[in-house]
């Protein structure tokens, strides 16, 4: 689909693959990387020759703006392999669109679509052996861009590096998770950068998340910074509530990431006759629904975990347990989505993107 | 003052200084760095041997968490030289305290005070020739710490690098600046990281600041994210308003940086019989004061610019000019502060810190 002449990538292959050193049954998320990486520098007002080289450390100036001002955005996506060994991406153009939305908010130049798609597909084609078929296996793909200009005045950089690195992954969260609804800390402000996959949004969550973990919860569900009355999203997942038979999820806003899994799940739910309401969700409503038994499920959606079921939440020092349920929407919708991603079912949406 | 035995720094000196290549009359802020840099890595749960080495690029893994999650905080401070060639810092222990406050909020381990003070003073002693005496000249000092662990799961790193780099500086903003009061974008949320010198706070301001610049304003004065009715601070400065003869500035909060210049100016004002009110400041109050002539001055305070007078602000598409004034507080207080910093006057506060 991509015009070869539009963008030639300079390729340097590894002499020996590292794949035999990796135990694919024991993968700690995001610590092992494939043989190659893609990069492309923005210098003198334009993106330079894109390159694929052996995965390696790089040099950076101590004054590189990213280290001081967090001028960096990223994406997260996955490649899957079917049982015949064909490799697929999932809605990759949406990741391209979103990284440029994030970039614009951080005054980072947009990355051209043909560079993105060709870099991505060429890299994955080269490192295809790192994608294992089978349930939960995938290749996690991390496109990111950061300011490399060596200058510490507080202003947007004039030089950037765009990269793609890939890490083989097993299922991310396997067990159900216990969460805490935020009452004091917050993730993003109106008019802020919450809707962007801006690097700084994530570091800002580490400390409150650690506090939650010390209390026995794996994650924080963020509420609006202003009143803490409305549920927004988790650190790397959008959130759905099943009340009786209806799924409810918060609308996207300038505080909430427009998740690709979220919108796919909304579509799949609607097409499977599950009513979906996209509206603001009050903490008090969810507590009340839990008390009166109408809260059937809570789950998060995101590329890393696909769907992650939540078994309990804490708010106001009260713990609300969510009983397991037969025919959970989380299971049904996850299966539908994973089947499309892994080429186990017809994809009437055109979401699957074969790499060849 | 520091016990030599408490912390030995491994020192490697440059063979030849670069100082003769630098034109000290033509310094672009933050682009030239002195001969040496200090660094210290946090590995295996502790800070390792601190080092001073020739200033140089370093290697970093593409998966280093700072590039993905913005887990980085920094400080900004200055060294000055008096006409006899003695070098001074200004309240350096406050910078140490603050970098650890910032670090804690971003789940970064605190840096020990003796390492900080000894690293700082040894480095500056070595690069002392880079500090020029004379009005507006200084050595800008940038301590910072960032996550180097090569792992892209969204969690706090287990390895960090703390560094100090130094850049010779002339006066930062010389002319008065024109600013815009934020009406749509915001800098920080309640319960967020606005009070920390977190890297991501700065990148988040670049785009709205660029929009302001395109309208002819140099900076944005941030308002509260919730209502945009209260004035908070600028991108790298706290803000003071002079209404008749009283100085007014916003209280610090979890959204506002506790500026060292701010608190020094409050002290100096009080000791010079200038009444200071620390309270929330409404946009509408400042507009009204400008209309009725009681708004005499607005100025920002921060290490880089010391005091930066503001000549106009825009809000609601209306421009408010602030006429120049004789005996401005900005000039008076700046002179008092700079005289202390540069050893031109008695320092009854113990703010000056001689390097010897
Ligand atoms: C803040 C945040 N919310 C939600 C998501 C889920 O988005 P997606 O489904 O596109 O992966 C992510 C990340 O992936 C995220 O970082
Ligand atoms: C957001 C912010 N506000 C205010 C200031 C002023 O603080 P200080 O006077 O300590 O330099 C700074 C930076 O220096 C800053 O980054």
């Amino acid at each position: 689909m991509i015009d070869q002449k539009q963008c030639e990538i300079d390729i340097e292959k590894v002499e020996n693959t590292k794949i035999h050193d990796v135990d694919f049954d024991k993968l700690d998320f995001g610590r092992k990387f494939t043989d190659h990486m893609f990069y492309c520098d923005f210098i003198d007002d334009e993106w330079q020759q894109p390159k694929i080289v052996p995965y390696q450390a790089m040099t950076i100036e101590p004054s590189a703006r990213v280290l001081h001002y967090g001028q960096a955005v990223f994406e997260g996506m996955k490649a899957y392999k079917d049982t015949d060994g064909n490799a697929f991406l999932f809605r990759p153009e949406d990741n391209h669109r979103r990284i440029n939305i994030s970039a614009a908010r951080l005054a980072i130049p947009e990355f051209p679509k043909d560079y993105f798609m060709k870099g991505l597909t060429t890299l994955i084609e080269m490192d295809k052996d790192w994608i294992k078929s089978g349930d939960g296996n995938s290749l996690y793909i991390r496109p990111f861009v950061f300011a490399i200009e060596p200058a510490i005045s507080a202003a947007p950089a004039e030089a950037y590096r765009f990269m793609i690195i890939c890490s083989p992954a097993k299922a991310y969260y396997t067990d159900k998770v216990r969460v805490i609804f935020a009452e004091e800390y917050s993730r993003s402000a109106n008019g802020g950068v919450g809707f962007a996959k801006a690097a700084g949004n994530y570091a800002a969550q580490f400390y409150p998340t650690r506090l939650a973990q010390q209390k026995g919860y794996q994650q924080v569900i963020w509420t609006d910074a202003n009143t803490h009355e409305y549920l927004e999203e988790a650190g790397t997942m959008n959130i759905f509530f099943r009340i009786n038979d209806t799924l409810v999820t918060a609308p996207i806003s300038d505080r909430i990431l427009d998740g690709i899994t979220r919108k796919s799940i909304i579509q799949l739910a609607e097409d499977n006759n599950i009513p979906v309401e996209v509206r603001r969700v009050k903490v008090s409503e969810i507590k009340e629904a839990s008390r009166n038994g109408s809260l059937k499920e809570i789950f998060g959606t995101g590329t890393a975990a696909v769907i992650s079921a939540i078994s309990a939440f804490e708010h106001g020092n009260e713990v609300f347990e969510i009983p397991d349920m037969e025919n959970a929407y989380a299971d049904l919708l996850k299966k539908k989505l994973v089947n499309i991603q892994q080429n186990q079912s017809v994809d009437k949406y055109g979401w699957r993107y074969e790499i060849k």
Side-chain angles (χ1 to χ4, degrees), chain A residues 325-344:
Chain A
M325 95 167 260
E326 300 269 296
N327 302 320
Y329 285 172
D331 298 333
L332 172 84
L333 293 168
K334 180 170 185 170
K335 194 159 177 50
K336 295 239 176 244
L337 185 56
V338 167
N339 282 346
I340 293 177
Q341 289 173 330
Q342 305 191 358
N343 197 28
Q344 313 278 318

Side-chain angles (χ1 to χ4, degrees), chain A residues 4-49:
Chain A
Q4 287 289 336
K5 278 162 279 162
Q6 269 183 286
C7 135
E8 284 302 336
I9 302 174
D10 219 10
I11 295 180
E12 181 198 332
K13 286 196 177 153
V14 290
E15 287 186 14
N16 298 300
T17 177
K18 302 173 297 192
I19 200 168
H20 307 298
D21 306 336
V22 175
D23 181 350
F24 282 82
D25 293 324
K26 286 203 199 98
L27 287 170
D28 208 8
F29 183 79
R31 291 189 183 270
K32 297 279 182 206
F33 297 90
T34 61
D35 287 325
H36 300 94
M37 64 187 197
F38 172 87
Y39 77 94
C40 183
D41 288 346
F42 184 87
I43 298 171
D44 293 336
D45 273 327
E46 60 191 358
W47 292 102
Q48 306 291 316
Q49 170 76 54

Side-chain angles (χ1 to χ4, degrees), chain A residues 120 123 129 188 193 286 327:
Chain A
L120 187 63
L123 179 64
D129 289 347
S188 66
V193 298
I286 298 305
N327 302 320

Side-chain angles (χ1 to χ4, degrees), chain A residues 23-239:
Chain A
D23 181 350
F24 282 82
D25 293 324
K26 286 203 199 98
L27 287 170
D28 208 8
F29 183 79
R31 291 189 183 270
K32 297 279 182 206
F33 297 90
T34 61
D35 287 325
H36 300 94
M37 64 187 197
F38 172 87
Y39 77 94
C40 183
D41 288 346
F42 184 87
I43 298 171
D44 293 336
D45 273 327
E46 60 191 358
W47 292 102
Q48 306 291 316
Q49 170 76 54
K51 294 186 179 155
I52 291 178
V53 297
Y55 184 90
Q56 61 193 278
M58 57 196 170
T59 56
I60 193 170
E61 290 287 330
S63 59
R65 281 193 215 264
V66 65
L67 302 178
H68 302 267
Y69 303 126
Q71 203 188 5
V73 298
F74 68 98
E75 271 302 322
M77 49 203 303
K78 279 184 172 176
Y80 304 91
K81 211 175 242 179
D82 69 12
T83 42
D84 297 331
N86 306 305
F88 300 90
L89 292 166
F90 183 70
R91 308 185 79 170
E93 278 128 340
D94 288 351
N95 294 96
H96 173 258
R97 194 176 310 122
R98 195 169 61 182
I99 202 169
N100 281 347
I101 290 171
S102 300
R105 181 61 181 82
L106 270 77
I108 295 173
E110 293 179 12
F111 195 64
K113 184 166 178 189
D114 51 341
Y115 282 41
F116 183 91
M117 292 305 296
K118 185 153 178 211
L120 187 63
T121 51
T122 308
L123 179 64
I124 292 172
E125 178 62 42
M126 287 171 64
D127 286 345
K128 210 168 174 175
D129 289 347
W130 293 76
I131 319 175
K132 301 294 171 192
S133 63
D135 202 28
N137 293 328
S138 65
L139 185 67
Y140 182 81
I141 302 161
R142 169 58 56 89
F144 61 116
V145 50
F146 55 97
I148 54 175
E149 193 192 13
I152 55 165
S153 55
E158 296 193 339
Y160 298 87
R161 173 163 292 181
F162 177 95
M163 300 189 81
I164 305 175
I165 60 178
C166 304
S167 175
K170 294 184 66 69
Y172 197 57
Y173 307 109
T174 35
D175 291 337
K176 285 194 172 189
V177 295
R178 300 173 72 83
V179 302
I180 203 160
F181 291 174
E183 290 173 76
E184 182 189 345
Y185 290 103
S186 30
R187 181 185 170 275
S188 66
N190 298 324
V193 298
F195 69 97
K197 279 183 87 82
N201 287 344
Y202 296 82
Q205 300 178 63
F206 291 166
Y207 175 71
T209 303
R210 178 179 285 171
L211 294 181
Q213 286 165 352
Q214 285 164 357
K215 289 181 81 177
Y217 300 90
Q218 285 85 53
Q219 296 203 29
V220 177
I221 309 298
W222 298 104
T223 50
D224 70 293
N226 182 8
T227 66
H228 295 297
E229 280 177 24
Y230 292 92
L231 290 153
E232 304 217 306
E233 63 168 326
T236 58
M237 298 193 295
N238 297 103
I239 294 292

